[in-house]
């Protein structure tokens, strides 16, 4: 991972931050087995290699502005190029009578993700705060574009240091799906799948209410209740193997 950030203060109420980042996520495994029988020449060998890769290269700009004592405005955006190699698999089996080789390499997928946001953190009084925001996101992949507008709202009322109430509502769109195998015959593996012209982005909304506060100077407590709705989520069937043809 490589990252760079530059921050500059303009007077007392303006702050500009610029950042660039390059990351690579790689997951996989390799197995090697050798079996020798009692008979002369009875030999068997097996090798299996799997790898999944995701590379990100992008930049981000954030601007903070305090026009008044009770308002803090934030706005900015990001652009990220995503290179996906969802999976490659190599299986080689050699016996004293035959050789077998199986190769599978998923086609590379290139996507570009861009988003922008604006939010206002407002102090409505000595005990009441709210954050109102709007997030716009776009994703371009394989000639297909996806766009979403995501409102976000949170508020908090602090009766006293010992107890307060909070509530929030957010909507989200996720353009990368994470699949994880869950089978005792295989090691747990992560497979990163991009949104494509056939795989829709995952969309969700979540509403939360809660309470919390402080117990003295060293302890705090919180309790929350939430509901979440998800669309277009993809996952492996329970017990499915990575390359057994089941979803």
């Amino acid at each position: 991972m490589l990252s760079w950030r530059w921050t500059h203060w303009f007077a007392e109420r303006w702050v500009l931050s610029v950042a660039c980042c390059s990351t690579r996520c790689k997951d996989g495994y390799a197995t090697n087995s050798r079996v020798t029988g009692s008979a002369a020449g009875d030999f068997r060998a097996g090798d299996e290699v799997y790898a999944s890769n995701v590379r990100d290269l992008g930049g981000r700009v954030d601007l903070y502005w305090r026009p008044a004592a009770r308002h803090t405005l934030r706005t900015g955006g990001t652009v990220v190029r995503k290179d996906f190699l969802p999976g490659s698999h190599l299986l080689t089996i050699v016996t004293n009578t035959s050789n077998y080789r199986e190769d599978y390499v998923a086609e590379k997928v290139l996507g570009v993700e861009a988003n922008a946001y604006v939010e206002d953190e407002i102090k409505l009084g000595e005990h009441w705060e709210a954050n109102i925001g709007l997030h716009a996101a776009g994703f371009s992949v394989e000639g297909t574009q996806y766009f979403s507008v995501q409102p976000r709202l949170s508020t908090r009322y602090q009766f006293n240091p010992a107890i307060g109430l909070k509530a929030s509502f957010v909507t989200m769109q996720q353009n990368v799906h994470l699949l994880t195998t869950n089978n005792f015959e295989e090691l747990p593996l992560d497979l990163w799948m991009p949104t494509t012209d056939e795989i829709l982005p995952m969309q969700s909304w979540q509403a939360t209410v809660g309470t919390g506060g402080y117990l003295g100077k060293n302890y705090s407590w919180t309790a929350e209740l939430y509901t979440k709705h998800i669309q277009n989520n993809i996952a492996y069937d329970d017990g499915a193997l990575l390359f057994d043809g089941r979803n």
Side-chain angles (χ1 to χ4, degrees), residues 103-177:
D103 292 292
Y104 169 77
V105 179
E107 184 177 349
K108 184 178 180 180
V109 178
L110 171 63
V112 177
E113 184 176 39
N115 64 71
Y117 74 94
V118 60
E119 64 180 45
D120 186 8
E121 185 177 311
I122 311 170
K123 291 187 176 182
L124 301 171
E126 184 179 354
H127 303 286
W128 190 11
E129 296 181 356
N131 189 301
I132 303 172
L134 191 66
H135 187 103
F139 189 66
S140 178
V141 59
E142 297 183 335
T144 303
Q145 287 77 39
Y146 297 96
F147 181 77
S148 68
V149 177
Q150 307 158 26
R152 299 176 180 183
L153 171 66
S154 65
T155 185
R156 182 179 63 182
Y157 191 89
Q158 197 73 30
F159 294 100
N160 53 59
I163 188 171
L165 296 177
K166 56 185 177 180
S168 66
F169 177 82
V170 298
T171 61
M172 293 171 284
Q173 175 175 297
Q174 182 172 309
N175 300 306
V176 181
H177 299 270

Side-chain angles (χ1 to χ4, degrees), residues 34-99:
R34 297 289 187 272
V35 179
T36 302
S38 57
D42 186 9
F43 176 80
R44 179 178 178 179
D47 298 290
E48 186 173 18
V49 178
Y50 164 78
S52 178
N53 292 273
V54 181
R55 286 185 176 180
D56 287 356
L57 177 62
R60 179 183 181 99
V61 176
D62 297 285
L63 179 64
Y64 304 87
W65 177 38
R66 294 196 65 187
R70 294 182 178 272
H71 289 267
T72 301
L73 294 175
R74 298 180 178 89
T75 185
T78 63
V79 177
V80 180
R81 170 188 165 125
K82 294 180 174 289
D83 292 282
F84 298 90
L85 185 60
S88 61
H89 183 246
L90 171 62
L91 175 64
T92 304
I93 299 176
V94 179
T95 68
N96 58 338
T97 59
S98 64
N99 296 332

